[in-house]
Amino acid sequence: MIPEDTIARVRESVDLVELIREQVPGLKRAGRNWRARCPFHQERTPSFNVNPEMGVYKCFGCGAGGDAFKFLMQTEGLTYPEAIHKLANRVGIVIQEDQNAPSSEESRERAQLYQVMEDAARFYHRTLLESAEAQEAREYLAKRGLDRQSLEKFLIGFAPSSGFALRDAAMKKGTDSKILEKVGLVRRKEGSSRTLDNFWGRILFPIWDLQGRIIAFGGRAMGDAMPKYINSPDTPLYEKSRHLYGLFQGLASLRKARRLIILEGYMDVTVCHQYGFDTSAATLGTALTDAHVKLLRRYADRVTLLFDPDAAGAAATVRGGELLMAAGVIVDVVTLADGKDPDEVLIEQGASALQDYLDKPVPYMDYRLHAALKRSPGGAPEAKLAIAQELLPVIQTMPEPLLQDEHLARLANALKVDKNVLVQQMKTAKQRARFGGTSAAPEKTEAPLLKTAPAPRIEEEVLLAVLLYPSEEAAKIVARLNWTDARCAEVWQKIQKDVADGKKPGTQLVSDLDESTRGWFEGLAMQERDYAEPLSVLRDFVLSSDRQQQTTEWALLKQDIDSMIEGRIPTDAQKIEKYNALSRKLKGSKPTLKV
């Protein structure tokens, strides 16, 4: 277990803005905070905020928030200990774990699962390089143009055809068959307790996560065996809709280029990397998903879709492009001549040939418009309507108004119609989608999603003031406050010493709060206030809080006294006296009562 003081050192040493900006390049300074469009959900206006002083982030659109550790957990799927280790390496802090402290069962099992996958990949790789049975696989890979360096870079392997080679090798090392089954390396034979390897007689492509851990395999059949490809099932380590093959191997280049090429297959990716196109990756037997887009949006501003020129490739281009455009990514489309795959172009014609294609991409909306015009030629009104109905929903999802306007103008020019007609058509379609197929809006509509923090109440304003303007005098003013909000009281107990010493609380504060308080405080910490005379403002807040509490107490007493007058409860002289005293304290604004 990692000592708490080490965790605190790591947290304090991490530059949260720098960490987040690597995956959210649009992060810009906004006062004392930083702001950008949220990486966790699609939005038009920025609602994602980062406070470097407190070491926290908060999105007022989707509610995501936390510290540096939580950010890595949310963006890279790390466990808490894994996030600590990664950030410790980043800031050069050596972690000496307390061997006497118990580690969680979950973390021990997860580490075992990763190790089993690593061992399996090494087993398959050795088999490919050394086994006589793998000779055909070696010849096939050489024919496809892969050299020894690429085989090692991607740890490509071969699964023996016996159906139990991996199982026996793993169990000989003491690995429980249940663990092998849990990570999808073996499966139970139907109607039997026996297990068999999930892959046999196939070339295997290990699949990495962004931390360089092997989490799954893709298996390619030899010859004409079907299915041509099979992938690992979803496991505790792997969901195919959340990972891209080759992304880890090209991560260093991608962070600099911020441009990604999406291909269809394992072989395309490995050959492209071999020829220097290492910012290429592929989906894993599935179409591009929202989860993929959220993942690659952290590393790429521009994506080139290079799929096979068949019906399936065209459908993948259409769907993938729509998701990417809606996320604010610039999307290009490249189609190779003669139905060739990227690896074929590279092997037959060299890197310069593929580069020529990549240098002349078709913008995604031009690709869609060209395809739509081919399907609905002639310029008849019905054809124009069909094209508009196909393309306007794509334009509507674009987060930037300027891009929407530009594409509306280009579509209007192509269809030879007035742009304002398209704008009206888009509004009508939006209303119909929103209100269940009719363009008539109901009398009342739901309030829009809140993009900024709500105005804090008085006690929250008091906390903000002392967080922003800590001093001994401020601590004395607040010390007399009778807190009624338990969350505010909890925070004050933790920060009052720092405030009295004139220090702004640091990154440790949020981690010390109860879970139920933490999310609320992350939002509060993002609030901006600029007071010319903070002590004067603070005194006013405390007085206002006192008056608010007294007014509430007066109103409750008034209810009791009304009941006394009506004879519903006995007369209570103490309550009457207190009511009159509060009335006088509230500057005569409340009438005194005589009984």
Side-chain angles (χ1 to χ4, degrees):
M1 183 172 288
I2 306 171
E4 285 298 325
D5 61 338
T6 302
I7 296 173
R9 282 177 56 217
V10 173
R11 184 184 290 109
E12 291 167 1
S13 302
V14 171
D15 184 329
L16 185 61
V17 169
E18 181 184 326
L19 175 71
I20 292 178
R21 195 157 48 181
E22 289 176 3
Q23 301 192 35
V24 187
L27 196 65
K28 304 292 184 185
R29 182 179 286 280
R32 68 188 180 98
N33 297 327
W34 295 69
R35 189 171 298 144
R37 287 207 299 266
C38 181
F40 304 115
H41 79 289
Q42 296 176 13
E43 60 178 4
R44 292 174 180 268
T45 55
S47 57
F48 179 81
N49 294 261
V50 180
N51 183 324
E53 293 175 357
M54 295 282 183
V56 293
Y57 63 92
K58 181 72 174 181
C59 175
F60 294 110
C62 68
D67 59 7
F69 303 131
K70 187 67 175 291
F71 185 76
L72 288 189
M73 292 166 70
Q74 289 187 304
T75 57
E76 300 185 12
L78 303 184
T79 63
Y80 183 53
E82 289 168 346
I84 296 171
H85 278 282
K86 182 165 185 176
L87 290 179
N89 289 335
R90 179 187 180 98
V91 297
I93 293 176
V94 177
I95 292 179
Q96 299 290 341
E97 299 205 27
D98 185 353
Q99 300 301 321
N100 296 322
S103 59
S104 71
E105 182 65 30
E106 180 184 0
S107 63
R108 286 199 302 273
E109 181 181 282
R110 199 170 178 86
Q112 184 181 18
L113 298 181
Y114 285 125
Q115 187 59 55
V116 166
M117 294 300 286
E118 176 76 19
D119 291 344
R122 298 291 174 189
F123 171 83
Y124 289 135
H125 185 60
R126 286 195 305 272
T127 302
L128 174 69
L129 298 182
E130 301 171 3
S131 170
E133 184 185 355
Q135 179 62 31
E136 182 185 354
R138 290 193 292 269
E139 291 174 356
Y140 171 81
L141 291 169
K143 184 179 178 181
R144 293 295 299 268
L146 286 182
D147 58 22
R148 177 67 176 257
Q149 186 176 356
S150 291
L151 297 180
E152 293 175 350
K153 175 182 178 180
F154 286 89
L155 210 62
I156 296 170
F158 180 77
S161 57
S162 68
F164 48 77
L166 175 72
R167 180 201 67 184
D168 290 354
M171 294 181 71
K172 189 179 292 184
K173 291 182 63 175
T175 305
D176 192 318
S177 64
K178 291 182 180 178
I179 293 293
L180 298 173
E181 192 174 357
K182 196 164 191 174
V183 291
L185 290 173
V186 304
R187 57 183 174 82
R188 293 197 177 277
K189 191 174 181 180
E190 190 173 348
S192 170
S193 60
R194 292 183 58 215
T195 57
L196 295 173
D197 290 351
N198 200 36
F199 301 99
W200 65 83
R202 289 177 178 267
I203 295 170
L204 291 189
F205 297 86
I207 298 164
W208 279 262
D209 65 12
L210 291 178
Q211 288 70 55
R213 299 170 303 199
I214 294 170
I215 55 176
F217 292 92
R220 191 196 192 285
M222 298 298 298
D224 297 325
M226 296 299 290
K228 186 176 179 180
Y229 282 98
I230 61 172
N231 292 315
S232 293
D234 283 356
T235 72
L237 304 182
Y238 173 66
E239 290 179 61
K240 65 182 178 181
S241 64
R242 306 183 71 86
H243 297 277
L244 294 167
Y245 179 73
L247 191 62
F248 168 70
Q249 283 81 0
L251 210 52
S253 297
L254 186 59
R255 282 191 171 118
K256 297 176 183 176
R258 296 203 59 81
R259 181 168 185 169
L260 181 68
I261 307 167
I262 300 290
L263 308 172
E264 277 202 27
Y266 302 105
M267 198 64 70
D268 288 332
V269 172
T270 51
V271 175
C272 277
H273 277 247
Q274 181 175 303
Y275 278 77
F277 299 93
D278 57 353
T279 59
S280 58
T283 57
L284 300 161
T286 182
L288 206 64
T289 66
D290 285 319
H292 287 138
V293 172
K294 288 179 181 179
L295 172 68
L296 63 84
R297 184 68 185 87
R298 305 199 308 261
Y299 302 103
D301 303 314
R302 192 176 201 120
V303 170
T304 299
L305 300 176
L306 206 175
F307 294 140
D308 292 345
D310 54 16
T317 299
V318 168
R319 175 59 179 157
E322 287 183 358
L323 293 175
L324 290 163
M325 293 289 285
V329 179
I330 300 171
V331 186
D332 295 318
V333 179
V334 168
T335 304
L336 304 181
D338 303 321
K340 291 186 178 295
D341 293 335
D343 63 320
E344 292 177 307
V345 171
L346 289 168
I347 298 302
E348 296 172 10
Q349 304 174 44
S352 61
L354 183 61
Q355 188 62 57
D356 285 344
Y357 282 107
L358 294 173
D359 287 341
K360 301 171 186 175
V362 176
Y364 174 75
M365 289 305 296
D366 289 356
Y367 170 86
R368 289 293 302 272
L369 179 59
H370 178 70
L373 288 169
K374 284 183 66 176
R375 286 192 300 274
S376 304
E382 293 78 10
K384 293 182 179 182
L385 177 61
I387 294 170
Q389 288 176 334
E390 179 182 344
L391 297 186
L392 286 177
V394 184
I395 296 173
Q396 187 175 306
T397 64
M398 295 177 185
E400 297 294 345
L402 187 144
L403 288 178
Q404 284 191 357
D405 186 71
E406 175 67 20
H407 285 295
L408 282 169
R410 296 176 71 175
L411 179 58
N413 183 59
L415 298 181
K416 296 182 173 56
V417 300
D418 191 308
K419 188 181 79 169
N420 292 326
V421 173
L422 293 180
V423 171
Q424 184 57 47
Q425 179 76 20
M426 191 163 67
K427 288 180 179 177
T428 301
K430 185 177 181 180
Q431 279 189 332
R432 285 174 178 162
R434 185 177 181 185
F435 303 122
T438 173
S439 59
E443 293 182 5
K444 293 183 179 180
T445 59
E446 294 182 2
L449 185 65
L450 191 64
K451 291 293 182 181
T452 56
R457 298 179 301 108
I458 292 178
E459 291 184 18
E460 292 175 334
E461 289 286 2
V462 170
L463 272 184
L464 267 174
V466 294
L467 287 168
L468 293 170
Y469 302 97
S471 68
E472 184 179 2
E473 184 61 27
K476 289 179 179 178
I477 293 171
V478 177
R480 60 180 289 267
L481 181 64
N482 179 30
W483 299 95
T484 60
D485 187 312
R487 299 173 303 182
C488 291
E490 180 189 349
V491 174
W492 174 245
Q493 288 298 316
K494 295 183 183 300
I495 69 172
Q496 58 181 326
K497 186 177 185 305
D498 282 343
V499 171
D501 292 339
K503 295 190 302 184
K504 290 186 177 182
T507 58
Q508 186 64 29
L509 170 60
V510 177
S511 65
D512 288 342
L513 298 175
D514 289 341
E515 188 69 32
S516 59
T517 305
R518 197 173 300 157
W520 158 79
F521 182 73
E522 288 163 355
L524 184 68
M526 299 301 166
Q527 293 290 320
E528 299 273 6
R529 298 291 184 270
D530 185 13
Y531 298 134
E533 298 182 12
L535 292 179
S536 176
V537 171
L538 192 56
R539 288 189 188 93
D540 288 343
F541 282 148
V542 172
L543 288 173
S544 295
S545 179
D546 286 346
R547 183 178 179 83
Q548 189 178 73
Q549 291 176 33
Q550 291 163 3
T551 301
T552 300
E553 187 179 4
W554 180 90
L556 292 173
L557 286 169
K558 180 70 164 58
Q559 291 178 6
D560 286 346
I561 290 169
D562 287 344
S563 296
M564 294 177 203
I565 293 173
E566 294 169 5
R568 286 186 279 117
I569 62 173
T571 300
D572 187 328
Q574 286 186 336
K575 285 188 176 182
I576 295 171
E577 183 181 349
K578 193 168 187 179
Y579 170 82
N580 287 330
L582 281 174
S583 295
R584 290 189 292 271
K585 186 177 287 187
L586 292 171
K587 300 180 181 178
S589 60
K590 310 296 180 187
T592 57
L593 182 69
K594 295 180 181 179
V595 179

